[in-house]
Short mmCIF file of all heavy atoms in Angstrom, two decimals:
data_model
loop_
_atom_site.label_atom_id
_atom_site.label_comp_id
_atom_site.label_asym_id
_atom_site.label_seq_id
_atom_site.Cartn_x
_atom_site.Cartn_y
_atom_site.Cartn_z
N PRO A 6 -31.53 13.13 -8.72
CA PRO A 6 -32.17 13.56 -7.47
C PRO A 6 -31.18 13.86 -6.34
O PRO A 6 -30.32 13.03 -6.01
CB PRO A 6 -33.05 12.36 -7.09
CG PRO A 6 -33.29 11.65 -8.37
CD PRO A 6 -32.04 11.82 -9.16
N ALA A 7 -31.32 15.05 -5.77
CA ALA A 7 -30.45 15.43 -4.65
C ALA A 7 -30.74 14.60 -3.41
O ALA A 7 -29.86 14.42 -2.56
CB ALA A 7 -30.64 16.92 -4.34
N GLU A 8 -31.97 14.09 -3.30
CA GLU A 8 -32.34 13.31 -2.11
C GLU A 8 -31.60 11.98 -2.02
O GLU A 8 -31.49 11.39 -0.95
CB GLU A 8 -33.84 13.01 -2.10
CG GLU A 8 -34.73 14.24 -2.08
CD GLU A 8 -35.27 14.54 -3.47
OE1 GLU A 8 -34.47 14.54 -4.43
OE2 GLU A 8 -36.49 14.78 -3.59
N LEU A 9 -31.08 11.50 -3.16
CA LEU A 9 -30.46 10.17 -3.19
C LEU A 9 -28.95 10.26 -3.24
O LEU A 9 -28.29 9.61 -4.05
CB LEU A 9 -30.99 9.39 -4.41
CG LEU A 9 -32.50 9.21 -4.48
CD1 LEU A 9 -32.88 8.39 -5.70
CD2 LEU A 9 -33.03 8.56 -3.21
N LYS A 10 -28.39 11.05 -2.35
CA LYS A 10 -26.94 11.16 -2.28
C LYS A 10 -26.34 9.86 -1.79
O LYS A 10 -26.97 9.12 -1.04
CB LYS A 10 -26.54 12.31 -1.34
CG LYS A 10 -26.93 13.69 -1.86
CD LYS A 10 -26.52 14.77 -0.88
CE LYS A 10 -26.91 16.15 -1.39
NZ LYS A 10 -26.55 17.23 -0.44
N PRO A 11 -25.10 9.54 -2.20
CA PRO A 11 -24.46 8.31 -1.74
C PRO A 11 -24.43 8.23 -0.21
O PRO A 11 -24.23 9.23 0.47
CB PRO A 11 -23.05 8.41 -2.31
CG PRO A 11 -23.20 9.30 -3.51
CD PRO A 11 -24.27 10.29 -3.15
N GLN A 12 -24.64 7.05 0.32
CA GLN A 12 -24.65 6.78 1.75
C GLN A 12 -25.83 7.41 2.49
O GLN A 12 -25.89 7.34 3.73
CB GLN A 12 -23.34 7.24 2.44
CG GLN A 12 -22.14 6.34 2.15
CD GLN A 12 -21.54 6.58 0.79
OE1 GLN A 12 -21.23 7.71 0.43
NE2 GLN A 12 -21.37 5.52 0.03
N SER A 13 -26.76 8.03 1.78
CA SER A 13 -27.94 8.56 2.45
C SER A 13 -28.90 7.42 2.76
O SER A 13 -28.88 6.37 2.12
CB SER A 13 -28.64 9.60 1.57
OG SER A 13 -29.20 9.00 0.42
N SER A 14 -29.76 7.63 3.75
CA SER A 14 -30.72 6.59 4.14
C SER A 14 -31.70 6.32 3.00
O SER A 14 -32.12 5.18 2.78
CB SER A 14 -31.47 7.01 5.41
OG SER A 14 -32.15 8.24 5.21
N ALA A 15 -32.08 7.39 2.26
CA ALA A 15 -33.01 7.22 1.15
C ALA A 15 -32.41 6.33 0.07
O ALA A 15 -33.09 5.47 -0.50
CB ALA A 15 -33.39 8.57 0.57
N ALA A 16 -31.11 6.51 -0.21
CA ALA A 16 -30.44 5.68 -1.21
C ALA A 16 -30.30 4.25 -0.71
O ALA A 16 -30.46 3.29 -1.49
CB ALA A 16 -29.08 6.27 -1.55
N ALA A 17 -30.00 4.08 0.55
CA ALA A 17 -29.80 2.74 1.11
C ALA A 17 -31.09 1.93 1.10
O ALA A 17 -31.03 0.69 1.06
CB ALA A 17 -29.26 2.86 2.53
N ASP A 18 -32.23 2.58 1.14
CA ASP A 18 -33.52 1.88 1.20
C ASP A 18 -34.01 1.41 -0.17
O ASP A 18 -35.01 0.70 -0.26
CB ASP A 18 -34.59 2.79 1.82
CG ASP A 18 -34.36 3.03 3.31
OD1 ASP A 18 -33.65 2.21 3.93
OD2 ASP A 18 -34.88 4.03 3.83
N LEU A 19 -33.32 1.80 -1.24
CA LEU A 19 -33.77 1.43 -2.58
C LEU A 19 -33.47 -0.04 -2.87
O LEU A 19 -32.48 -0.59 -2.39
CB LEU A 19 -33.09 2.32 -3.61
CG LEU A 19 -33.50 3.80 -3.60
CD1 LEU A 19 -32.61 4.59 -4.55
CD2 LEU A 19 -34.96 3.96 -4.00
N PRO A 20 -34.29 -0.67 -3.70
CA PRO A 20 -34.04 -2.07 -4.07
C PRO A 20 -32.74 -2.22 -4.87
O PRO A 20 -32.22 -1.25 -5.43
CB PRO A 20 -35.26 -2.43 -4.94
CG PRO A 20 -36.29 -1.40 -4.62
CD PRO A 20 -35.55 -0.15 -4.26
N SER A 21 -32.26 -3.44 -4.96
CA SER A 21 -30.98 -3.70 -5.61
C SER A 21 -31.02 -3.47 -7.11
O SER A 21 -29.97 -3.27 -7.75
CB SER A 21 -30.54 -5.14 -5.34
OG SER A 21 -31.52 -6.05 -5.84
N PHE A 22 -32.22 -3.44 -7.71
CA PHE A 22 -32.29 -3.23 -9.16
C PHE A 22 -32.20 -1.75 -9.55
O PHE A 22 -32.21 -1.41 -10.73
CB PHE A 22 -33.57 -3.84 -9.76
CG PHE A 22 -34.87 -3.31 -9.18
CD1 PHE A 22 -35.37 -2.06 -9.54
CD2 PHE A 22 -35.57 -4.06 -8.25
CE1 PHE A 22 -36.55 -1.58 -9.01
CE2 PHE A 22 -36.77 -3.58 -7.72
CZ PHE A 22 -37.25 -2.34 -8.10
N VAL A 23 -32.10 -0.85 -8.57
CA VAL A 23 -31.96 0.59 -8.84
C VAL A 23 -30.48 0.94 -8.92
O VAL A 23 -29.70 0.61 -8.03
CB VAL A 23 -32.65 1.43 -7.76
CG1 VAL A 23 -32.46 2.92 -8.05
CG2 VAL A 23 -34.14 1.09 -7.68
N ARG A 24 -30.09 1.60 -9.98
CA ARG A 24 -28.70 2.03 -10.18
C ARG A 24 -28.65 3.56 -10.12
O ARG A 24 -29.30 4.25 -10.92
CB ARG A 24 -28.17 1.57 -11.54
CG ARG A 24 -28.37 0.08 -11.81
CD ARG A 24 -27.35 -0.76 -11.05
NE ARG A 24 -27.39 -2.14 -11.52
CZ ARG A 24 -28.14 -3.10 -10.98
NH1 ARG A 24 -28.93 -2.80 -9.96
NH2 ARG A 24 -28.10 -4.33 -11.45
N LEU A 25 -27.88 4.11 -9.19
CA LEU A 25 -27.79 5.56 -9.00
C LEU A 25 -26.57 6.12 -9.72
O LEU A 25 -25.45 5.62 -9.54
CB LEU A 25 -27.72 5.90 -7.52
CG LEU A 25 -28.92 5.46 -6.66
CD1 LEU A 25 -28.69 5.82 -5.20
CD2 LEU A 25 -30.21 6.09 -7.17
N HIS A 26 -26.78 7.16 -10.51
CA HIS A 26 -25.69 7.77 -11.27
C HIS A 26 -25.38 9.19 -10.80
O HIS A 26 -24.50 9.85 -11.38
CB HIS A 26 -26.04 7.79 -12.76
CG HIS A 26 -26.21 6.43 -13.35
ND1 HIS A 26 -25.18 5.72 -13.92
CD2 HIS A 26 -27.30 5.62 -13.44
CE1 HIS A 26 -25.62 4.55 -14.35
NE2 HIS A 26 -26.91 4.46 -14.07
N GLY A 27 -26.09 9.67 -9.78
CA GLY A 27 -25.85 11.01 -9.28
C GLY A 27 -26.31 12.07 -10.26
O GLY A 27 -27.07 11.81 -11.19
N PHE A 28 -25.81 13.29 -10.07
CA PHE A 28 -26.16 14.40 -10.97
C PHE A 28 -25.14 14.46 -12.09
O PHE A 28 -23.92 14.47 -11.86
CB PHE A 28 -26.17 15.72 -10.21
CG PHE A 28 -26.42 16.92 -11.08
CD1 PHE A 28 -27.69 17.20 -11.54
CD2 PHE A 28 -25.37 17.74 -11.46
CE1 PHE A 28 -27.93 18.30 -12.36
CE2 PHE A 28 -25.60 18.84 -12.27
CZ PHE A 28 -26.89 19.11 -12.72
N LEU A 29 -25.61 14.47 -13.32
CA LEU A 29 -24.74 14.56 -14.49
C LEU A 29 -24.96 15.89 -15.18
O LEU A 29 -26.06 16.19 -15.64
CB LEU A 29 -25.03 13.40 -15.46
CG LEU A 29 -24.79 11.99 -14.92
CD1 LEU A 29 -25.18 10.94 -15.95
CD2 LEU A 29 -23.33 11.80 -14.49
N SER A 30 -23.92 16.71 -15.23
CA SER A 30 -24.01 18.05 -15.81
C SER A 30 -23.71 18.01 -17.30
O SER A 30 -22.67 17.47 -17.72
CB SER A 30 -23.04 19.00 -15.11
OG SER A 30 -22.98 20.24 -15.78
N LYS A 31 -24.60 18.59 -18.10
CA LYS A 31 -24.38 18.63 -19.54
C LYS A 31 -23.22 19.54 -19.92
O LYS A 31 -22.69 19.44 -21.03
CB LYS A 31 -25.65 19.09 -20.24
CG LYS A 31 -26.80 18.09 -20.15
CD LYS A 31 -28.06 18.68 -20.74
CE LYS A 31 -29.22 17.72 -20.55
NZ LYS A 31 -30.50 18.34 -20.94
N SER A 32 -22.85 20.44 -19.01
CA SER A 32 -21.74 21.34 -19.30
C SER A 32 -20.38 20.68 -19.07
O SER A 32 -19.35 21.23 -19.45
CB SER A 32 -21.85 22.61 -18.44
OG SER A 32 -21.79 22.29 -17.06
N ASP A 33 -20.39 19.51 -18.46
CA ASP A 33 -19.16 18.76 -18.23
C ASP A 33 -19.05 17.67 -19.30
O ASP A 33 -19.94 16.83 -19.42
CB ASP A 33 -19.17 18.13 -16.84
CG ASP A 33 -17.92 17.32 -16.56
OD1 ASP A 33 -17.88 16.13 -16.96
OD2 ASP A 33 -16.99 17.86 -15.95
N PRO A 34 -18.00 17.66 -20.11
CA PRO A 34 -17.90 16.69 -21.21
C PRO A 34 -18.02 15.24 -20.76
O PRO A 34 -18.67 14.43 -21.44
CB PRO A 34 -16.51 16.98 -21.81
CG PRO A 34 -16.24 18.41 -21.45
CD PRO A 34 -16.87 18.60 -20.10
N HIS A 35 -17.41 14.89 -19.63
CA HIS A 35 -17.48 13.51 -19.14
C HIS A 35 -18.91 13.15 -18.75
O HIS A 35 -19.43 12.08 -19.12
CB HIS A 35 -16.54 13.33 -17.94
CG HIS A 35 -16.57 11.93 -17.37
ND1 HIS A 35 -17.45 11.56 -16.36
CD2 HIS A 35 -15.86 10.83 -17.69
CE1 HIS A 35 -17.26 10.29 -16.08
NE2 HIS A 35 -16.30 9.82 -16.87
N ASP A 36 -19.56 14.04 -18.01
CA ASP A 36 -20.94 13.81 -17.60
C ASP A 36 -21.88 13.75 -18.80
O ASP A 36 -22.79 12.92 -18.86
CB ASP A 36 -21.41 14.90 -16.64
CG ASP A 36 -20.85 14.73 -15.23
OD1 ASP A 36 -20.08 13.77 -15.02
OD2 ASP A 36 -21.18 15.55 -14.36
N ALA A 37 -21.66 14.66 -19.76
CA ALA A 37 -22.50 14.68 -20.95
C ALA A 37 -22.38 13.37 -21.72
O ALA A 37 -23.38 12.84 -22.24
CB ALA A 37 -22.13 15.87 -21.84
N GLY A 38 -21.17 12.84 -21.80
CA GLY A 38 -20.97 11.56 -22.47
C GLY A 38 -21.65 10.42 -21.76
O GLY A 38 -22.24 9.54 -22.39
#
């Protein structure tokens, strides 16, 4: 989700059990892995 960028207010309001991984591109080998 683009709305949950690091340091955004939306991300900061999430509970501690939520783990954010950002956008992972399948065209990038590291992200795909």
Side-chain angles (χ1 to χ4, degrees):
E8 300 100 313
L9 303 182
K10 293 180 180 178
Q12 286 78 51
S13 68
S14 58
D18 290 339
L19 292 172
S21 59
F22 58 77
V23 178
R24 309 283 191 268
L25 300 178
H26 297 270
F28 176 77
L29 298 177
S30 172
K31 292 174 184 172
S32 61
D33 179 275
H35 180 270
D36 284 1

